[in-house]
Amino acid sequence: MIANGVDHDTDPAAVVAVDGLTRRFRRGRETVVALDGVGLALYAGELTVAAGPSGSGKTTLLSILAGLDRPDGGRIRYGDRMGPLPTWRHLGFVPQSLALLDELTVRENIELPVLLDPAAAPAGDWSTDRLMELLEITHLADRYPALISGGEQQRTAVARAVRLRPALLLGDEPTGHQDRGRVDLVLGMLRGFAYAGHSVLISSHDEAVIAGADRVVTLADGRIVGDRRATYSPHSLPG
Ligand code: ADP
Ligand code: MG
């Protein structure tokens, strides 16, 4: 367990660190506490899975880290590799809704971050062609999202999220629409992305995904109730 007793807020090695994160929602007269004092630091080079039952706060945590929602309390500190503005260059996000643009083809959706920020386009292997090949969507390059399956749309959203090789990649159940074989395909790709020096946090309740993680952070009722690393992780703490 490392969730408690560490001053995440000043952890210089973290790509992002949060401390005392709280988020409440009003539902009629009730107040739902979606996050209840979450402290967590994420590092480059590892794939972390946020696990926990439905309603435990996974989506809320990811939305706040992605800058799409604001906490009611607590602090967020992004590391040096993250800019002041959350652009695709620093932060890739695969939302559960996928949020592909209907009027753009698969190829154009993946290229979108490059069009918005041409100076950020990294040289090297992770071209749109290479990503489509890795994620087995090359044959769909010129199709529109409405004319491909949910799983194919999801792999397109994954490719878009990693296109500019952001320091932090967030995915809300990014294998949720994949069949068994494709879960491993997407997971392997995300793991490779982490090992290339990026930080990856995805939510999942799929045992196969959890088993393939370097680190599993378990949420329950808006709190972190477990935080364990696979023994082979380079970030495993002694003891
Ligand atoms: P998970 O992704 O683990 O299923 P969520 O983060 O979506 O969990 O939800 C955590 C809790 O917060 C749940 O009780 C959920 O109903 C509630 N919640 C999330 N978003 C909202 C919202 N916009 N309005 C009201 N309640 C919400
Ligand atoms: Mg969710």
Side-chain angles (χ1 to χ4, degrees):
M1 301 286 284
I2 60 158
N4 299 312
V6 175
D7 187 0
H8 298 297
D9 199 49
T10 56
D11 187 338
V15 173
V16 62
V18 299
D19 189 35
L21 214 59
T22 303
R23 180 71 168 105
R24 299 181 202 89
F25 291 104
R26 274 286 173 79
R27 201 189 282 145
R29 288 183 168 192
E30 262 182 280
T31 299
V32 178
V33 182
L35 293 180
D36 188 9
V38 166
L40 179 67
L42 298 173
Y43 301 93
E46 63 182 3
L47 172 80
T48 302
V49 171
S54 177
S56 57
K58 304 182 296 295
T59 293
T60 304
L61 176 62
L62 287 165
S63 300
I64 289 173
L65 290 173
L68 299 174
D69 188 18
R70 288 176 149 267
D72 295 300
R75 288 175 295 181
I76 307 178
R77 185 190 151 280
Y78 293 100
D80 293 342
R81 294 176 65 202
M82 303 285 290
L85 291 171
T87 68
W88 288 105
R89 184 201 293 232
H90 306 290
L91 193 148
F93 188 37
V94 185
Q96 213 158 12
S97 69
L98 305 180
L100 296 177
L101 297 186
D102 293 336
E103 64 276 22
L104 299 183
T105 64
V106 164
R107 177 193 298 281
E108 289 165 347
N109 266 285
I110 300 170
E111 277 291 290
L112 187 64
V114 181
L115 295 173
L116 297 174
D117 193 358
D125 301 344
W126 294 60
S127 64
T128 294
D129 283 339
R130 181 76 188 117
L131 286 168
M132 289 194 298
E133 214 173 285
L134 281 171
L135 290 164
E136 299 180 1
I137 48 176
T138 301
H139 59 296
L140 307 170
D142 298 320
R143 289 222 217 154
Y144 291 91
L147 300 176
I148 63 176
S149 74
E152 292 159 350
Q153 291 176 22
Q154 190 170 46
R155 300 205 296 284
T156 302
V158 169
R160 177 184 59 184
V162 299
R163 180 63 180 83
L164 292 184
R165 293 192 224 160
L168 178 61
L169 178 70
L170 303 169
D172 200 357
E173 312 208 16
T175 62
H177 300 306
Q178 305 304 317
D179 55 35
R180 191 75 269 153
R182 263 33 180 283
V183 169
D184 293 340
L185 181 76
V186 172
L187 189 61
M189 197 265 181
L190 295 177
R191 202 187 290 122
F193 187 67
Y195 292 174
H198 307 93
S199 179
V200 180
L201 174 67
I202 61 174
S203 67
S204 182
H205 46 249
D206 182 337
E207 283 305 326
V209 173
I210 291 167
D214 300 307
R215 180 184 180 192
V216 180
V217 172
T218 306
L219 286 159
D221 294 330
R223 292 168 176 267
I224 292 180
V225 296
D227 187 348
R228 61 177 172 78
R229 284 194 168 91
T231 47
Y232 58 78
S233 167
H235 296 282
S236 289
L237 298 178

